[in-house]
Amino acid sequence: MRVDVHAHLFPAVYLDLLDEMRGDGGDGTREVRELGGGDSERELGLRLAAMDAVGVDVQLLSTCPQGPYTGDPTAAVEAARCANLALAHTAAQHPDRFRALATLPLPHILASVDELNRAIEQDGMPGAAVGTSILGRPLSHPDFEPLFAALNRRNAVLFVHPNGDSAGSSLMQAAKLDWVIGHAAEVSIAILQLFQAGLTVKYPGIRVIAPHMGGYLPFLIQRLDRHRDWYLPNDAPSAGQLMRGIAYDTANPLPAALRLTAEVVGPDRLLLGTDYPFEQGPSLRDHVEYLFAAGLADEQAKSIVDMNAAAFLGMNHT
């Protein structure tokens, strides 16, 4: 079963609510509306055709990076619930083609735990997708630990996706490097912060997915291990061991990057990801076809494309 773990859906009703909540005249959602990644009949039809063209059986949907994060708890809960009901409706319309990850009303932790539990129990979602930081606070902040405990109890998926703010770097933003290197910076920082806080060790039941092959982390593994005393607690496993405890999607279509990441974390930790609808057409095809042309053993490439994600999500192979 070919499962794409990195795919976005932007329900129109949810984007409308975000526009109202943010009061920015629609600036914050304009770009994703133009991608054609919404939930209209036409957009879903084009999505299914694109999936068929590259042999993807199932997409795991999330609303990231359009998170409902706000200091207003009522607005955050309303928006998260709106997103999840819309995602669940799309998944129910096409049960053989879509599954979805919950959107959470962070930073409101009790409400987020409640919505996570509801989405898992009522909507059948396997976990949640969250931003790499929440209103300037890292995911590793102690206030968020009850969410990690809840995810661990559920053996849930946690997809950690960039917000698109270059980890707060005004230098990157001013140079228009948000999409070029800012996303990788956000992922790298967020995952290392989880390691620093010991959250992936304390809560081993959480199935963490780092997108885009974990940002810079595989490339820097020697430095991360050599200088572990600078940033990891004394009793923590090595960076390499910690990295092998989570999963990574393959949305970084460079053969050399794939070979490196497979060497660092093991090919069994790599899951197919395309970043649809940000990647479409020939680019979408590249995200699948490069996996077979990267020089990995045939059985490893086959597992990455057609087996690992389904096994990671507990889905039946067909």
Side-chain angles (χ1 to χ4, degrees):
M1 183 183 293
R2 188 169 294 184
V3 180
D4 176 2
V5 301
H6 189 161
H8 306 277
L9 183 73
F10 303 112
V13 65
Y14 174 58
L15 297 184
D16 291 344
L17 189 56
L18 289 183
D19 288 343
E20 181 182 341
M21 183 177 80
R22 295 168 178 170
D24 62 1
D27 287 346
T29 66
R30 184 169 294 114
E31 181 179 7
V32 295
R33 289 180 190 272
E34 293 172 352
L35 289 172
D39 59 349
S40 69
E41 184 176 348
R42 175 181 175 277
E43 289 168 306
L44 289 176
L46 291 172
R47 179 186 294 264
L48 290 168
M51 291 166 62
D52 290 341
V54 295
V56 168
D57 299 301
V58 178
Q59 281 186 344
L60 181 63
L61 305 171
S62 72
T63 60
C64 291
Q66 293 292 329
Y69 309 138
T70 173
D72 182 343
T74 301
V77 169
E78 180 184 5
R81 180 67 57 84
C82 173
N84 292 333
L85 292 177
L87 288 171
H89 176 71
T90 296
Q93 281 184 307
H94 305 277
D96 296 331
R97 306 306 303 272
F98 300 125
R99 296 191 73 186
L101 293 169
T103 301
L104 300 180
L106 292 166
H108 312 289
I109 193 64
L110 295 180
S112 293
V113 170
D114 286 345
E115 184 59 19
L116 173 71
N117 290 332
R118 190 207 63 79
I120 291 174
E121 293 172 5
Q122 297 183 22
D123 298 334
M125 295 183 178
V130 298
T132 43
S133 63
I134 308 298
L135 301 183
R137 280 192 285 176
L139 290 177
S140 58
H141 194 284
D143 287 353
F144 299 145
E145 186 158 354
L147 175 60
F148 285 87
L151 289 161
N152 189 67
R153 287 193 297 271
R154 296 282 189 173
N155 193 33
V157 172
L158 180 65
F159 187 77
V160 181
H161 192 278
N163 292 324
D165 62 5
S166 295
S169 171
S170 58
L171 292 175
M172 281 197 217
Q173 292 171 340
K176 297 184 178 179
L177 296 175
D178 307 57
W179 292 90
V180 183
I181 61 172
H183 278 38
E186 290 181 58
V187 173
S188 303
I189 292 168
I191 297 303
L192 286 180
Q193 287 172 328
L194 295 184
F195 293 164
Q196 284 180 316
L199 291 169
T200 59
V201 173
K202 185 175 181 179
Y203 299 113
I206 303 175
R207 293 173 283 165
V208 177
I209 302 175
H212 303 295
M213 289 187 196
Y216 310 132
L217 300 186
F219 181 75
L220 295 175
I221 186 59
Q222 188 273 351
R223 185 175 183 85
L224 291 170
D225 273 336
R226 183 178 180 86
H227 300 296
R228 54 152 291 139
D229 292 344
W230 290 1
Y231 66 96
L232 288 177
N234 291 334
D235 59 350
S238 70
Q241 289 173 300
L242 290 166
M243 285 180 62
R244 288 188 289 274
I246 67 172
Y248 306 81
D249 79 39
T250 61
N252 180 12
L254 177 67
L258 180 72
R259 293 193 299 270
L260 171 64
T261 307
E263 180 179 342
V264 170
V265 303
D268 60 311
R269 307 310 295 169
L270 287 164
L271 316 177
L272 174 65
T274 68
D275 206 5
Y276 185 92
F278 293 98
E279 304 293 344
Q280 298 187 47
S283 179
L284 180 66
R285 185 172 294 280
D286 286 345
H287 275 69
V288 177
E289 292 185 348
Y290 95 98
L291 297 165
F292 292 108
L296 298 182
D298 289 346
E299 63 272 16
Q300 292 178 343
K302 178 68 173 175
S303 292
I304 292 169
V305 176
D306 291 325
M307 299 174 64
N308 288 354
F312 185 84
L313 295 171
M315 300 170 66
N316 293 328
H317 293 242
T318 60

